[in-house]
Amino acid sequence: MSTTSFPEDFVWGVSTSAFQIEGATSADGRGPSIWDVFSADRAEACDHYHRYPEDVRLMKDLGTAAYRFSVSWPRVFPGGSGKANEAGLDFYDRLLDELLAAGITPYATLYHWDLPQALEDLGGWTSRDVAHRFADYAAAVHGRIGDRVDTWFTLNEPWVAAFLGYGAGIHAPGRKSAAEAFRSAHHMMLAHGLATRALRAAGAARVGTVLNISPVLTPAQVSDFGRPLSEEDAEAVARIDTLANRQFLEPLLRGSYPAELLPIIERHGGLDHVRDGDLDIIAQPLDLLGVNYYSPSVVQAQPSEPADPAYPGSEGVLFCTVPTAVTAMGWPIVPNCLSLVLRRLSAEYPELDLMVTENGADFVDVVTGDGIHDVERISFIEEHLRALHSAVADGARVRGYLVWTLLDSFEWAEGYQRKFGLVHVDFATQKRRLKDSARWYGDVIRRNGLTETPPRRPTLETVAARAGVSRATVSRVVNGEASVSPEVRTAVMRAVKELGYVPNAAARSLVTRRTNAIALVLSVPRQGDALTAAVVQYVTSMLEGAGKQITLMLADTAESHRRIVQQAEARLVDGVVLLPSDRGDTLAERLSRTDVPIVLLGKPAVASLVPYVDVDNAGGAAAATEHLLARGRRRIGMICGPTDLVSVQDRLAGHRAALQRASKQPLLALADLTRASGAAAARQLLGDEPALDAVFAATDQLAIGALQAARELGRRVPEDLAIVGFDDIDAASATTPGLTTVRVPLAEQALAVARLLLSRLEGRHTTSVVLPTRLVVREST
């Protein structure tokens, strides 16, 4: 079969990191890392520390030529510096001997986010001294294993370590300071430069570093890279590219920070940490740049949008969701962006060798009697390899590709629920099991390329015809049912092997009695079309990515309710996502009695054991009210929507609680959900309370009505009257003046619903999810 071949010396392999797979967190003198302290999960992970021979055999069986691993700094220096822990270094001695005996080339990463806690206690990466301790650590590791490692990567994804760990606080060590994030980023790059000098002085053959590079696009550009941008969007794209990509690329490869970045750093804490000579140290010549790519960053200009904590300086930029297929993490799947990244790097730095050091995806894997058929992961990797091949054909200097990752492992803040591995790990028994993607990747390695067109998959009927048995018999065999005779089983498995058959969902369902069908039930919710559209788009994409078939059903009549319940009772669906009516109905209660897993979007009107996904309506309303109080507003009225709506009840409760804390009494006016009723309610409030100086409305539509009433009554906004809404609908940013409001995360709700249902289908314990809202301050306050 003809192939889309890669260069003869192209390197194929896999990547892992120490904290995610090693386990043995207190064995042989290892000290605690910041992740041991930060994480609620105990990271015994895959016990690779004791099971590395088995894992190396797996790599050898797949034919991998390269293995990128990371060294655990707290295993080598439990206190961060001082005397090295010989037992910790002994482990890497053993690992390297095993790899070389298997014919696998090791690529060592010195820092994959597991800073010794002892150094964090002294300031962590905000301390300049840590950069020098890192250089000492690099020299010590090279002194022990440098005779067997040719290629060294100093850091892995410093943007993540600095801005998620020190800026947004969602990674270890959990700090939330823009100034500390910028300071940490600089010190990590200084550490890279100092370590590079130390490694080269010790005789290291090749030294590089690893960056997570994502192209920054607007939503329209995701499907059309060449789409022209407005001046505002072009500025937003350029600013995020500077914060995420150029902040690291240019100091490392050009010896200077982007000019546009310096005022942002100055504004968030100054530049005193950048000393004369630092950039010369940082810009040590690189032999290889590792590129980690998963998905693009999608943004657009949005006036008055607050900065994302992970991107200090991103005020006025909205981070968008896009209508594409997504992984189980909710990350958009855009393979051609890998080509975009590689072409850009090769164009801007034409002498630099590149390696794709991480690329992979989390999908929900189903363990069946005949294997783990992760078709979605195969498709993801194949599409990205085709994009990579296109870039190589255009001259990109890409020397290899390493899948993330070999094993299902501990996925940082996500714990153990995320599955990126080619190999399934049962964490209770530590049993390894190859997924179909592992075997497929082994075939890619053996042929050094892809088939020019994906092969047509044999069907259940094809196998049945080859084996001379019925379709149902084939299904029983491949699903491990014991009732089939040994002779028939042998014939079927011979046909399966000869044809390369991978059972699909329909075949598995004959024995498992699972349909892989999910009912997405729409009850004409009053929350708004935008939320319904987001749910249909993202729930469908994510569940289909997990191998489910989605059936849309409308629950608008008693007859439709009866039909939906009948489908569940007959087990024609495996699960239900229900957008319940804002006002109470009994459909959720009736479905809960069928034993089919159900997830609700929105808190139900009547308390239920059925898990739901909602937003923090009360917290958002309290934040809006506290914002008005902080602006000096003293007479604040609220326009309520219908108080039988659960969301309105919660928003009213949050508003009242904030007023009570300020020792103020609520002033209320009731309305329905239309702009006209909002205007009428505002006129009522202003007539009853002429001294009113602020209005909080339960929805943006009501708030827009209040803006209209204020103009009619000659009240200036915000000078005389401040107005705040809730929801951040599209019209909120287009009002005059722009409407301050509370943003509800639409896409995040939809993705949370899908994740919650998948967890229920897998039998895991689940609880309801309440997502945070965010105040968006515009001119109306």
Side-chain angles (χ1 to χ4, degrees), residues 511-522:
V511 167
T512 63
R513 290 178 171 81
R514 297 191 68 169
T515 66
N516 283 309
I518 303 297
L520 179 52
V521 180
L522 310 179

Side-chain angles (χ1 to χ4, degrees), residues 64 386 460 483 522 722:
T64 55
R386 292 190 187 280
L460 198 70
S483 62
L522 310 179

Side-chain angles (χ1 to χ4, degrees), residues 46-397:
C46 309
D47 195 27
H48 176 73
Y49 187 80
H50 298 108
R51 299 171 185 268
Y52 68 91
E54 177 184 359
D55 296 335
V56 172
R57 282 197 301 274
L58 288 171
M59 288 185 270
K60 181 180 180 180
D61 290 346
L62 293 178
T64 55
Y67 175 47
R68 174 179 167 247
F69 66 100
S70 78
V71 178
S72 169
W73 190 348
R75 198 177 293 286
V76 175
F77 285 105
S81 59
K83 180 175 173 56
N85 175 31
E86 294 300 319
L89 288 168
D90 287 346
F91 166 68
Y92 296 105
D93 257 336
R94 297 191 299 270
L95 174 63
L96 285 168
D97 288 346
E98 195 82 19
L99 288 167
L100 294 174
I104 298 170
T105 300
Y107 288 68
T109 302
L110 287 168
Y111 186 69
H112 201 127
W113 308 349
D114 50 352
L115 182 72
Q117 181 62 37
L119 293 181
E120 175 61 24
D121 293 341
L122 297 175
W125 284 110
T126 66
S127 168
R128 187 180 184 88
D129 184 62
V130 170
H132 294 278
R133 301 291 74 76
F134 181 71
D136 296 341
Y137 155 64
V141 175
H142 186 278
R144 173 61 73 90
I145 63 175
D147 58 329
R148 286 155 290 170
V149 176
D150 289 330
T151 302
W152 297 81
F153 293 112
T154 55
L155 308 174
N156 180 79
E157 298 185 359
W159 180 87
V160 174
F163 288 92
L164 298 189
Y166 289 82
I170 59 178
H171 274 203
R175 300 202 210 178
K176 297 180 180 180
S177 166
E180 291 184 351
F182 282 119
R183 185 177 295 268
S184 297
H186 178 75
H187 289 157
M188 286 181 200
M189 288 190 289
L190 180 63
H192 156 79
L194 292 169
T196 299
R197 282 183 172 179
L199 289 167
R200 289 213 169 99
R206 295 198 302 170
V207 182
T209 198
V210 175
L211 302 179
N212 54 305
I213 306 293
S214 293
V216 185
L217 309 168
T218 63
Q221 287 182 311
V222 171
S223 56
D224 180 6
F225 292 162
R227 183 78 170 263
L229 300 179
S230 67
E231 184 177 341
E232 295 79 9
D233 280 346
E235 191 280 330
V237 166
R239 185 149 35 108
I240 300 307
D241 183 54
T242 297
L243 290 168
N245 298 323
R246 294 174 61 209
Q247 178 174 190
F248 299 93
L249 284 168
E250 294 187 17
L252 289 166
L253 299 170
R254 291 180 176 162
S256 63
Y257 278 114
E260 309 93 304
L261 180 67
L262 295 176
I264 297 176
I265 301 177
E266 179 74 59
R267 189 169 73 247
H268 286 90
L271 287 160
D272 61 297
H273 58 284
V274 181
R275 299 184 185 177
D276 291 345
D278 281 3
L279 287 162
D280 291 335
I281 296 172
I282 291 169
Q284 299 298 303
L286 290 183
D287 300 301
L288 185 65
L289 177 66
V291 178
N292 293 353
Y293 171 76
Y294 292 95
S295 63
S297 297
V298 186
V299 304
Q300 66 185 41
Q302 179 71 64
S304 301
E305 176 72 13
D308 186 311
Y311 296 86
S314 62
E315 299 88 352
V317 178
L318 176 65
F319 288 81
C320 307
T321 53
V322 290
T324 66
V326 295
T327 69
M329 290 280 283
W331 295 349
I333 301 173
V334 190
N336 285 343
C337 279
L338 177 57
S339 295
L340 202 63
V341 165
L342 298 173
R343 290 189 179 102
R344 169 191 175 173
L345 291 172
S346 289
E348 294 182 3
Y349 308 99
E351 302 305 315
L352 181 64
D353 281 352
L354 308 173
M355 173 177 273
V356 177
T357 39
E358 289 184 25
N359 178 240
D362 167 40
F363 291 105
V364 177
D365 296 325
V366 179
V367 180
T368 68
D370 66 305
I372 302 164
H373 308 303
D374 54 338
V375 177
E376 297 81 15
R377 186 171 290 104
I378 292 172
S379 176
F380 180 97
I381 297 173
E382 180 175 18
E383 289 172 359
H384 283 79
L385 285 177
R386 292 190 187 280
L388 170 57
H389 184 272
S390 174
V392 171
D394 288 344
R397 295 170 60 96

Side-chain angles (χ1 to χ4, degrees), residues 639 675 678-679 682 695 697 701-711 721 723:
I639 302 174
R675 292 186 185 183
V695 169
Q701 294 288 9
L702 297 177
I704 293 170
L707 286 170
Q708 176 186 339
R711 283 194 296 270
L721 184 71
I723 298 177

Side-chain angles (χ1 to χ4, degrees), residues 510-661:
L510 288 179
V511 167
T512 63
R513 290 178 171 81
R514 297 191 68 169
T515 66
N516 283 309
I518 303 297
L520 179 52
V521 180
L522 310 179
S523 299
V524 196
R526 297 288 295 275
Q527 291 95 329
D529 290 340
L531 180 56
T532 301
V535 169
V536 172
Q537 173 187 329
Y538 290 103
V539 169
T540 299
S541 177
M542 190 167 174
L543 291 178
E544 286 182 343
K548 310 301 180 185
Q549 298 174 344
I550 308 303
T551 301
L552 288 173
M553 307 180 78
L554 188 62
D556 58 344
T557 65
E559 174 58 27
S560 65
H561 284 207
R562 186 188 64 78
R563 186 175 64 253
I564 292 164
V565 172
Q566 282 182 336
Q567 294 245 351
E569 289 174 338
R571 300 310 296 252
L572 298 177
V573 293
D574 292 336
V576 176
V577 172
L578 176 61
L579 280 68
S581 171
D582 282 326
R583 295 173 171 84
D585 62 44
T586 62
L587 181 57
E589 179 188 349
R590 293 164 66 191
L591 284 169
S592 69
R593 294 198 293 265
T594 67
D595 293 329
V596 169
I598 306 167
V599 173
L600 306 181
L601 178 69
K603 187 168 71 174
V606 179
S608 169
L609 294 178
V610 176
Y612 63 84
V613 173
D614 201 2
V615 298
D616 186 4
N617 287 295
T625 306
E626 289 163 357
H627 166 74
L628 292 170
L629 291 167
R631 291 292 189 276
R633 308 292 172 163
R634 293 296 174 259
R635 298 291 288 171
I636 304 172
M638 179 178 178
I639 302 174
C640 289
T643 54
D644 59 344
L645 302 184
V646 178
S647 58
V648 172
Q649 293 170 12
D650 287 348
R651 293 173 191 183
L652 176 57
H655 171 70
R656 280 177 162 158
L659 289 177
Q660 184 177 16
R661 288 191 291 271

Side-chain angles (χ1 to χ4, degrees), residues 685-770:
L685 282 171
L686 290 167
D688 294 342
E689 296 285 339
L692 199 74
D693 60 5
V695 169
F696 168 57
T699 73
D700 285 342
Q701 294 288 9
L702 297 177
I704 293 170
L707 286 170
Q708 176 186 339
R711 283 194 296 270
E712 294 171 354
L713 296 172
R715 301 291 290 268
R716 296 173 303 163
V717 178
E719 293 84 357
D720 302 329
L721 184 71
I723 298 177
V724 180
F726 205 114
D727 291 328
D728 198 23
I729 62 174
D730 290 342
S733 62
T735 59
T736 304
L739 181 64
T740 292
T741 185
V742 178
R743 171 162 300 154
V744 171
L746 299 181
E748 288 80 357
Q749 286 181 80
L751 294 170
V753 165
R755 290 173 184 146
L756 192 56
L757 182 63
L758 288 170
S759 293
R760 296 207 73 197
L761 292 173
E762 293 172 7
R764 296 201 296 262
H765 175 71
T766 56
T767 58
S768 296
V769 176
V770 178

